[in-house]
């Protein structure tokens, strides 16, 4: 059995708790949240066993001698200290994205996990979505022809974060998917944005000197010249969760808001007749997907990695580190008014 503590049972952490409670290989031994009322809510919601430690103090976990793992779903600014503590206590860690706000901190945590021979995994839930797995198969099988560009939109009316901006809150999902589908990471990035709601800089978070951007436009440029464009906004009631890759033979669309299927392949290309370009071979293919909750797959993968003592390849700490490097470069671009930033080593 894996004895696990869930740290943070807010909007997302409560779903982690639900999934770990349902896994037969897992024994939830503690729940930590700084708000006592949240602990009371989950205790009643899940009818938690009286032997489960419910505490508002993170350090109380040190008294649990048989603690195997920790799942952390707290604000991003707290991740570094919590993950480092847990690894030093000899615990495997599943951390909510982003791993931290600093690439150097991410690298340090990954190296510490490797040294301790512990699993460090980041909850990039979309990488476990059946539509993302299916989309990667389509793209890498060459069914889109020559890849031309990609685009994504992630908008809604909230939730508005107070620890990170819309870029750090939302972009990581689409960047992770583009990287996964393309099998590569960007060589350069650009970002521009607007601040409306929280214009006063948070002195504790020096990433955001102009405040927390509510709207962000992102451009990612990959080694082969492919570019992806991302629209991010948490101040727009037009809810969109849509990502597409366009090729010479068609477009692959991942649309979470679709009422039929989230993954659709739109076939179509041009035939040239003298000076005209005429569309041909147009059709729409709804792709069948495996069933399953992505977060359940995240939790199962974390547990399997611990039991097999094998780091996960799909969402390891190192994958999380690469994404934080990209986000950090985008923040630099955003703070410089859209300056193109080349990524180190690219």
């Amino acid at each position: 059995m894996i004895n696990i503590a869930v740290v943070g049972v807010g909007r997302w952490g409560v779903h982690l708790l639900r999934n770990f409670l349902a896994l037969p290989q897992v024994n939830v031994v503690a729940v930590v949240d700084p708000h006592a009322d949240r602990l009371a809510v989950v205790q009643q919601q899940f009818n938690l066993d009286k032997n489960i430690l419910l505490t508002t103090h993170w350090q109380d976990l040190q008294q649990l001698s048989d603690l195997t793992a920790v799942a952390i779903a707290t604000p991003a600014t707290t991740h570094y200290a919590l993950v480092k503590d847990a690894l030093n206590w000899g615990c495997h860690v599943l951390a909510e994205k982003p791993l931290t706000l600093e690439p150097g901190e991410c690298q340090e945590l990954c190296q510490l996990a490797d040294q301790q021979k512990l699993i460090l995994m980041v909850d990039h839930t979309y990488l476990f979505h059946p539509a993302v797995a299916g989309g990667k198969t389509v793209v890498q099988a060459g069914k889109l022809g020559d890849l031309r560009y990609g685009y994504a939109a992630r908008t809604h009316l909230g939730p508005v974060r107070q620890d990170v901006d819309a870029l750090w809150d939302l972009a990581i999902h689409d960047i992770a998917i583009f990287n996964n589908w393309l099998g590569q990471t960007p060589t350069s990035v650009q970002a521009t944005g607007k601040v409306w709601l929280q214009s006063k800089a948070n002195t504790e978070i020096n990433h955001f000197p102009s405040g927390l951007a509510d709207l962000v436009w992102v451009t990612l440029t990959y080694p082969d010249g492919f570019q992806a464009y991302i629209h991010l906004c948490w101040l727009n009631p037009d809810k969109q969760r849509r990502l597409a890759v366009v090729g010479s033979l068609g477009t692959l669309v991942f649309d979470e808001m679709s009422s039929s299927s989230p993954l659709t392949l739109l076939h179509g290309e041009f035939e040239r007749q003298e000076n005209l370009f005429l569309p041909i071979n147009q059709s729409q293919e709804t792709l069948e997907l495996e069933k399953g909750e992505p977060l359940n797959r995240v939790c199962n993968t974390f547990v399997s990695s611990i039991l097999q003592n094998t780091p996960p390849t799909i969402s390891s700490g190192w994958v999380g580190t690469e994404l934080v490097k990209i986000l950090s470069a985008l923040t630099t671009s955003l703070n410089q008014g859209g300056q193109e930033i080349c990524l180190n080593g690219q």
Side-chain angles (χ1 to χ4, degrees), residues 111-315:
Q111 291 172 340
L112 178 59
D114 289 348
Q115 292 167 3
Q116 302 276 53
K117 293 182 170 49
L118 294 168
I119 302 300
L120 174 56
M121 179 174 164
V122 186
D123 176 15
H124 294 296
T125 311
Y126 277 93
L127 296 181
F128 296 83
H129 196 295
V132 173
K136 181 177 182 179
T137 300
V138 171
V139 172
Q140 300 201 348
K143 293 184 179 181
L144 298 179
D146 296 328
L147 301 184
R148 289 178 168 160
Y149 76 103
Y151 57 92
R154 192 168 293 272
T155 67
H156 197 23
L157 197 60
V160 176
R161 298 275 294 268
Q162 295 180 322
D163 58 331
V164 294
D165 62 3
L167 171 68
W168 280 84
D169 184 37
L170 303 173
I172 197 166
H173 302 303
D174 298 309
I175 298 170
I177 296 170
F178 279 125
N179 289 359
N180 183 266
W181 281 10
L182 299 171
Q184 52 185 325
T185 57
T187 54
S188 67
V189 300
Q190 291 175 282
T192 58
K194 292 286 186 181
V195 179
W196 290 297
L197 299 180
Q198 300 175 89
S199 58
K200 185 178 179 181
N202 185 333
T203 56
E204 296 180 2
I205 311 175
N206 56 17
H207 287 70
F208 315 112
S210 300
L212 301 180
D214 305 291
L215 167 69
V216 182
W217 297 94
V218 166
T219 301
L220 310 172
T221 301
Y222 287 84
D224 60 1
F226 181 95
Q227 288 190 309
Y229 308 92
I230 308 175
H231 169 204
L232 308 157
C233 187
W234 58 29
L235 202 153
N236 184 346
D238 174 23
K239 185 175 183 179
Q240 297 182 74
R241 295 285 186 272
R242 197 169 191 270
L243 179 146
V245 170
V246 182
S248 59
L249 300 179
T251 297
L252 180 65
V253 179
F254 171 31
D255 187 355
E256 287 185 80
M257 308 306 294
S258 171
S259 59
S260 54
S261 172
L263 194 65
T264 304
L265 180 54
L266 304 172
H267 299 278
E269 56 187 303
F270 279 124
E271 179 179 76
R272 184 164 188 169
Q273 294 184 7
E274 297 180 349
N275 293 329
L276 300 177
F277 295 90
L278 303 178
I280 61 172
N281 300 329
Q282 290 180 279
S283 65
Q284 180 171 315
E285 180 183 355
T286 298
L287 302 179
E288 294 294 326
L289 303 174
E290 295 180 4
K291 303 296 183 183
E293 180 192 3
L295 186 58
N296 180 262
R297 295 182 177 205
V298 170
C299 295
N300 269 299
T301 299
F302 181 55
V303 169
S304 296
S305 296
I306 294 172
L307 294 176
Q308 297 169 13
N309 195 28
T310 303
T313 56
I314 191 171
S315 193

